[in-house]
Amino acid sequence: MGYRIHFTTEDLARTRVAEAPLPLSELGTAVRTLQDRSRPVLFDAWRSRVAGQLPAEARMALSLIPPVGWSPTFLNLPRAGTPEELLEEVRGTPRAVIESELAAIAARQPLPRWAHRLPGDAALLGQLLDGLGRLHALLLKPYWQQITGYTAADRSVRARQLLGGGVESLLVQANPRWIRWEPPVLTVRMANEAEADLHLAGQGILLVPSVFSTRSFVDEDALPQPVVTYPVGHERPLQRLSLLAPGGAGPAGPASSAALTALLGRTRAAVLRAVAEHTDCSTKELAAAVGVAPASASEHATVLREAGLIRTVRHRNSVLHSVTGLGVELLNSPGSGGSR
């Protein structure tokens, strides 16, 4: 059993994958993950770094967004944009909407005592949103480039699934551990063990890959269509070690110096640059970009992956390569020719 989402043909046609990370959706997921203890290899170092820095204003948000259970959907705008813009939009949420959502949560689980005053107290709502802004700065902002890179890699995989097998292929492969597609119903196992039926009636859904998600979540009240969040893939252990390293660099610039070539070798340095410049390329595409045989490209990619400089995601009979934060830092380091 679980959350059963009923599709029509029109719903399949309108189902899509988010084009970019959604700051407030990812923030809500990060707040949940901070408070639980799942996937310690991936998240415990991050939890330890941020736990001692939590500002007092953040405590309100933590109490309203529990690790397991229900939280207000008006805090979770499923849209791209800056955190400041989105939080300002949340500030304008109608009182009736806040009252309705809090009443629905109170029927299922206890609310913090202060939350009952939230619909009629603009200053209290302001405190909550200030806390969310501080949490974003602590939990997400230092890692946003890595988050963007991982969600872009995931979107590339989903695009290939769509081209190879249509929307139903997306639904089957998005998160097989927690999501099951048995046409015409998508069943999502929820962390809070919720059971419900959602008839989309032509809306379709927005699939949202999340770096911080450990399971899948459904937001049926999201506009313009319901949202299903699922974890991005973390297939390789070396990926996990560099995933949430703070201060990741941005896109790599050209690096052709003798220093990088001396460190990696001419061909391997060219492979690293090609992966940075052709995100999510297959081994065959990588070989063509560098001008080597596919077997040689695969060998060099393996060495770079084992060194933590690139990551690889498997899709059917292909592997897709993208640069890691560590690889970007090497490309952009002084003396590499790519310093910015």
Side-chain angles (χ1 to χ4, degrees), residues 39 41-43 45 49 143 146-147 149-151 153-154 157 210-211 231-246 280 301-302 304-315 319-327:
R39 305 191 75 175
V41 171
L42 186 59
F43 292 117
R49 278 196 300 271
Y143 314 98
Q146 293 98 311
I147 291 168
Y150 271 85
T151 52
D154 186 273
V157 170
S210 168
V211 168
V232 299
H234 302 294
E235 289 82 359
R236 295 189 175 274
L238 282 172
Q239 256 177 241
R240 299 174 182 175
L241 297 179
S242 62
L243 169 62
L244 294 176
D280 307 320
T302 297
L304 294 172
R305 182 175 65 246
E306 290 176 350
L309 300 176
I310 70 172
R311 66 177 66 90
T312 297
V313 177
R314 182 167 295 279
H315 174 61
V319 290
L320 310 179
H321 308 287
S322 58
V323 70
T324 66
L326 181 61

Side-chain angles (χ1 to χ4, degrees), residues 122-145:
L124 188 63
L125 177 61
Q127 284 182 260
L128 173 62
L129 298 184
D130 289 344
L132 282 171
R134 295 288 299 276
L135 278 174
H136 183 277
L138 176 64
L139 303 185
L140 297 189
K141 187 175 181 180
Y143 314 98
W144 196 248
Q145 289 179 341

